[in-house]
Amino acid sequence: MTNYISSKMLNFESNNIRMSLSPLYEVKLYLGCEQNRLSDCTLERKIPKNILITEIGKFQENYEGTTVPVRVTDTTFISETDYLEDGWEISAINYPRTNNSHEHTLDFMLDLAEYLLQIFLQKRICVLDCGPTLTDSVYMLEGRWYDGS
């Protein structure tokens, strides 16, 4: 299969298979894997995937409005040889298929980022908006419990 969509492929239908074309958008949320501590209490430092998934599910169930399906992938943040941090990428696309607009998906992901920022006491969560209008944006949500450094 070629790397382009021909006009014939736009209306492809054969053997009970239909192909359709939709504008591409993706909203990604990035957070580190470490929970931060505000006091001397002992907390589990790493955010386990099953706990992250449970918290995302709780957020989705309680969300006012149409929920947005997400994908959770582990990732690693690297800066030269002196910084290495495991973390998570949470991504929303139109799969499973929904009728959510790009704007709704972005609002949902920003709300999810705010929720996770508070639940896991994160210093910062980054949300990337890879929109269909090629006006990509990066939103940095930062916990007020930090001095902004």
Side-chain angles (χ1 to χ4, degrees):
M1 184 175 261
T2 61
N3 290 336
Y4 64 92
I5 303 292
S6 70
S7 59
K8 181 178 181 179
M9 291 177 71
L10 291 176
N11 297 311
F12 175 83
E13 202 162 328
S14 171
N15 298 328
N16 296 323
I17 297 171
R18 181 181 58 163
M19 181 187 318
S20 60
L21 184 64
S22 300
L24 171 67
Y25 69 84
E26 182 174 25
V27 181
K28 299 177 184 181
L29 181 158
Y30 290 94
L31 73 151
C33 195
E34 277 198 15
Q35 292 186 84
N36 290 302
R37 289 186 265 188
L38 297 179
S39 66
D40 289 334
C41 65
T42 57
L43 292 174
E44 176 66 32
R45 294 289 288 167
K46 298 289 182 185
I47 300 171
K49 187 174 188 176
N50 64 323
I51 300 297
L52 176 63
I53 289 171
T54 297
E55 290 299 334
I56 292 169
K58 287 180 190 177
F59 177 82
Q60 288 172 319
E61 288 172 355
N62 295 311
Y63 189 71
E64 293 182 17
T66 307
T67 193
V68 174
V70 298
R71 176 185 77 236
V72 176
T73 308
D74 61 326
T75 191
T76 303
F77 304 102
I78 303 167
S79 182
E80 299 179 354
T81 59
D82 60 344
Y83 181 83
L84 181 70
E85 180 185 2
D86 291 330
W88 303 105
E89 175 188 273
I90 303 167
S91 179
I93 60 172
N94 193 19
Y95 184 84
R97 183 183 278 189
T98 64
N99 290 324
N100 295 325
S101 67
H102 169 245
E103 292 78 17
H104 176 77
T105 302
L106 175 59
D107 289 344
F108 177 89
M109 292 298 281
L110 288 168
D111 290 343
L112 176 59
E114 184 178 347
Y115 175 79
L116 296 175
L117 187 79
Q118 295 173 18
I119 290 293
F120 295 120
L121 299 174
Q122 293 292 288
K123 183 174 186 175
R124 185 176 299 113
I125 291 182
C126 175
V127 176
L128 274 67
D129 176 23
C130 306
T133 59
L134 301 177
T135 55
D136 300 345
S137 300
V138 177
Y139 300 85
M140 301 298 280
L141 287 78
E142 297 182 339
R144 291 186 178 174
W145 41 86
Y146 291 98
D147 63 4
S149 61

